[in-house]
Structure formats: structure tokens, C-alpha cells
Amino acid sequence: MSTRVSRIITTAMPAHGHTGPVLAVSADLAARGHEVVFLGGARFAGAAERAGVRFVALPPEADFDDRDLDASFPGRAALTPGPERLAFDARHIFTDPIPHQYRALLALLEDFPAKAVLADAFVQGVLALPLSRPRAERPALIGLGVTPAMLPSVDTAPFGLALTPLPGEEGRERNRRLREEAERRVEPLQRYAEKVFDQLGVRLPEGPRGLAPVTVPDHYLQLTVPGFEYPRSDAPETFRLIGALPSAAGTAAGTAAGTAGGTVGGPGGDIVSGEQPLPDWWARLSEGRPVVVVTQGTLANDDLGALLAPAVTALADRDVLVVAATGRPDGPRELTGLLGGRLPENTVAAGYVPFEQLLPLTDVLVSNGGYGGVQNALRHGVPLVVAGASEDKPEVAARVRWAGVGIDLRTGRPEPGAVDRAVGEVLEDGRYRERARALREELERYRPFDAIAELVESL
């Protein structure tokens, strides 16, 4: 318990993968005796209550339902996935809400004068706070990196290209060339963002996109470890890697906020509470065959034909037990239909699974590359096969490849043969499990909840 109670505002984009980690941190801070208010999406009000924190809703102009982005943002569905849709998302999902996020924060500060604001790095409206007033006249701003680090560097290719670091001068020259090209491409978006901040009477600092969310806050905490993030020789002093959130913290954060819970959804957890009974097929995990778990998480699972069906088909003749975690109550039925009405003998399908109990028994995780879920697997020393194409998933997959903890299939819709070969290689080549276990040991040395609490209490 902290000897000095602080008032803290936490906030996240109204999306599952952003809200879960921030609510887990909020719950931990509240359990230490701090007064915490969470500013977030309306659908997460119940999760905030279970986390033991007060909830304040973002205004409708800054809120949306991430389970159906096409419905939340008219016109999005007509765009082909790729650069055009990414540009749409950058403008309308992440940039347009900035003024509404900032005004909501100012209104909340009037009612709840906080000592610190801890914000998901994608809530860029909070940047207007330090850009508009000196430190003595505002709370400290702490950015929280809940996706792979987007910080530009001379040592890395631009975020989004899913390119691993190339050492030496050759790598720096490659990065410089790609960065110049990327800056030309995103210049219209940069100008658009500058105009949005101009509405608030503040000016963004000069520099490439992705720099301000890290350099403007007083502190920036990235939820990973050096073994799973590219080194940057030019990173600012405020940029710190503090470890991935524990998957089972054993506190209110675990069951209420999902990322720490990891109980029933994707391997990174769902925002649900309550103990889940073990499924009827659990005894099959003791058959002596390697266990291969396949998941598309709890959100990017509207089309189980992307990864689950090809993976189950690929592994049907292998001497393994396949656990297909569909992340939806109707998922097993849909998956069975995609496979011609019958699952292979070596496969069980479930809507939700207790990942915290399943991962210690898992030999390989086949995943679409959710950041929290991949690191949760690594917490248990489980090597991976990753097939991700949306959001930040290609960057996560690239880090899996770079860290040597698995195979990146470099597509979101792999052919069955590619899945079969990759799973076979990971099972047979002990280097992947060795590296995964090394990452597990590294992750165990970090205490992210303590690091955040100590920072808040030292302000």
C-alpha cells in the first residue's frame, strides 16, 4: 500500500487491445491505495467497475465500437485493405478524435485534479496538455506503449514495414532511405494532424510521425523487454522498457481487466471476470502428444477461414493434439462447417479456453500476432508460428522472427502446407523453444506494475 495517496487519470483508445492493459494498470494502482479514474469507451464501463476504478466515458465523437469498425466509420468498408485503408484509419480513428479527447481530459481535470495522467500512446489528444502549459501547471503525462514501439530511429526501418534491423552502416543507410520515402508518403497525414492540433492552439514538434507520442510525454513506458524490442541508440531518456504485464497477476486487475487475466479469450486475455470451468476435452492434453494451440484472438476472428481452418487442415495428419480456440461462442460450429462438417480426430474446438492453464501445457502457439497474446505465450516459454496481416500484427510477427522465438509466415491467410512446415520446424528444431525459454526468463525479471507505481509515487 502506498504511504501517499495520489489522484491518477488513466485513459485508452476504446479498443479491446488498448483498454485491457490500461485497465490492468489502473486496477493495480487502485489496489495500492491510489484514487484512479479511467477515461474510456462506454462499453468498458463494467470492466472499469470490476477493476475497482471510477469510470468516465469518452465523448461520443471520440468513442467507437472496435468490434465493427466498418459500421463505426462509414466508407471504411469500401476501401481495399492496405495503404488506402491505413490512411483512412490514421485520419478518422486516431486523429479526428484528438480535440474531443483533449477537451474531455480538461473537463475531467476540473473535477478531479490529478497528479498524473497515464495514457495509451494512441490517445494523442493528451499531448496537447504538455504542449500548452508548463510542467508546474499540469499533471505529469506518462505514455504507455501497448503495441510494438513506433519510435523512429536511425537503427530501425519505419514502423509498418515489418522489417527487422539490419546492422552497421548498410542498415542505417537502408533506414534513412526508407524513412525519407515514408515521410513523403505520410506528409498529407502529418499536415492533417498539425491542423487538428492547431484547433487546440498548440503546435506539434517537428519530426517524423510516431515521434511526438514518445517524446512529448514526461515519461514513456513500453510494455516489453529488450529481448523483444529493437535496440535504438538514439532513444530519448524518457523511453523505458518495463516488461510485459503479467498474464495472471492474482489481483483484481487479473480478473477484471483481461490483459492480466488471460482467462478465456485470446492468449492475451479478454475483458471478462470469473473463473471458467475446465472443458470436457481437457483430459486429452495428457495423451502424450505435442499440443498445438491455434487462435485468431477475440477480435480478428470474424473469418475463421483466415488462419484457424487452414491450420487445422494442415495439422490433421500430424501426431499432435490441436486446440482450436475460436474466441467466439459460435466459433466451433462455424469452424466445423468450414471443414466440411467434421473436425479431424486430433482436433478439439472451443469458443473460449483458459489460456493461463493451457499455455503451460502447450508446445507451439499458432497465432495471428496480437502483441499481448504473443508476449503471454513467451511468458510460458512457448514458441510460435505467427500469421498476421492487420493492424500492428506484421510488426509483432517480425519481432518474433528477430527474437528467434518462432516463425513468421508473413501473411494473414497462410496455405495449409506453410502452416504444417512451420509447426514441424518449430517442434523439431529445439532452438525456437530455447529462445522462447530465454525470453521467459527475461520477462520474469521485470516487474511492470511496480515500475509504474514507483514512477507515479516518485513524481
Side-chain angles (χ1 to χ4, degrees):
M1 181 73 70
S2 171
T3 57
R4 183 173 58 185
V5 174
S6 299
R7 288 183 165 187
I8 304 162
I9 293 172
T10 61
T11 184
M13 288 291 289
H16 174 277
H18 295 251
T19 295
V22 175
L23 273 183
V25 172
S26 304
D28 181 76
L29 291 170
R32 295 172 189 259
H34 298 295
E35 294 182 51
V36 183
V37 174
F38 174 69
L39 176 65
R43 82 178 180 95
F44 299 108
E49 181 181 353
R50 293 191 295 273
V53 302
R54 177 182 155 200
F55 173 79
V56 172
L58 285 165
E61 298 87 349
D63 200 358
F64 57 86
D65 190 337
D66 64 314
R67 294 167 296 186
D68 192 350
L69 290 175
D70 291 344
S72 298
F73 296 93
R76 184 178 187 272
L79 301 176
T80 303
E84 191 178 11
R85 183 177 287 185
L86 288 173
F88 179 95
D89 290 351
R91 282 180 179 244
H92 301 298
I93 298 178
F94 299 111
T95 304
D96 286 347
I98 284 172
H100 309 290
Q101 294 165 349
Y102 181 52
R103 290 169 188 137
L105 176 61
L106 292 183
L108 179 53
L109 284 169
E110 287 290 323
D111 172 62
F112 186 78
K115 173 183 180 179
V117 175
L118 188 146
D120 159 24
F122 284 79
V123 184
Q124 295 188 46
V126 302
L127 300 181
L129 193 64
L131 290 173
S132 63
R133 59 190 72 183
R135 175 67 183 87
E137 298 176 12
R138 61 172 175 82
L141 177 59
I142 303 169
L144 192 66
V146 301
T147 67
M150 298 179 66
L151 177 64
S153 170
V154 297
D155 301 313
T156 62
F159 188 89
L161 298 181
L163 292 175
T164 56
L166 187 64
E169 282 305 312
E170 180 186 359
R172 289 198 169 199
E173 175 59 24
R174 179 203 70 172
N175 299 337
R176 182 195 62 76
R177 176 172 41 82
L178 291 174
R179 186 167 55 251
E180 289 178 354
E181 180 183 335
E183 288 174 9
R184 284 195 299 270
R185 230 177 24 248
V186 303
E187 185 174 0
L189 177 61
Q190 185 75 4
R191 301 287 87 80
Y192 187 80
E194 289 171 359
K195 290 180 180 178
V196 170
F197 276 97
D198 283 346
Q199 298 174 26
L200 302 174
V202 299
R203 181 170 292 277
L204 278 176
E206 292 294 325
R209 183 170 173 263
L211 188 64
V214 175
T215 58
V216 170
D218 302 291
H219 305 272
Y220 189 92
L221 308 177
Q222 182 67 38
L223 291 174
T224 194
V225 294
F228 199 66
E229 185 51 69
Y230 307 145
R232 293 167 170 82
S233 60
D234 51 355
E237 291 184 4
T238 53
F239 180 79
R240 291 172 52 198
L241 308 184
I242 63 168
L245 293 182
S247 52
T251 67
T255 54
T259 301
T263 49
V264 298
D270 197 8
I271 301 183
V272 294
S273 62
E275 294 299 323
Q276 302 295 317
L278 293 180
D280 294 340
W281 48 261
W282 197 259
R284 295 192 63 184
L285 298 171
S286 304
E287 291 176 350
R289 295 189 281 183
V291 175
V292 180
V293 177
V294 187
T295 179
Q296 289 181 215
T298 53
L299 285 181
N301 58 14
D302 55 321
D303 177 10
L304 300 182
L307 177 58
L308 260 76
V312 170
T313 300
L315 302 173
D317 295 326
R318 274 196 176 268
D319 188 21
V320 297
L321 177 66
V322 179
V323 178
T326 66
R328 291 165 30 195
D330 62 340
R333 183 175 66 252
E334 179 181 327
L335 179 61
T336 303
L338 289 171
L339 297 172
R342 185 176 181 180
L343 294 176
E345 176 279 329
N346 70 342
T347 300
V348 296
Y352 304 108
V353 299
F355 266 94
E356 279 315 298
Q357 292 158 283
L358 179 60
L359 285 173
L361 306 174
T362 300
D363 294 278
V364 181
L365 177 69
V366 181
S367 163
N368 64 344
Y371 192 53
V374 165
Q375 294 197 94
N376 196 17
L378 294 174
R379 279 195 158 278
H380 294 278
V382 178
L384 300 116
V385 172
V386 183
S390 60
E391 298 89 33
D392 60 347
K393 292 178 176 61
E395 287 286 349
V396 177
R399 283 158 174 78
V400 167
R401 180 171 77 249
W402 172 78
V405 296
I407 293 176
D408 173 12
L409 295 179
R410 306 195 192 198
T411 177
R413 305 187 72 90
E415 294 294 327
V419 178
D420 182 52
R421 289 189 295 273
V423 169
E425 182 177 340
V426 172
L427 284 172
E428 294 159 16
D429 188 337
R431 290 176 296 179
Y432 294 107
R433 181 163 290 278
E434 182 180 339
R435 283 296 304 144
R437 287 174 174 170
L439 259 292
R440 177 184 65 190
E441 293 174 3
E442 184 177 3
L443 285 158
E444 288 173 348
R445 293 196 294 269
Y446 282 74
R447 298 288 183 271
F449 285 134
D450 290 345
I452 293 169
E454 289 166 7
L455 173 58
V456 167
E457 291 161 11
S458 72
L459 294 173

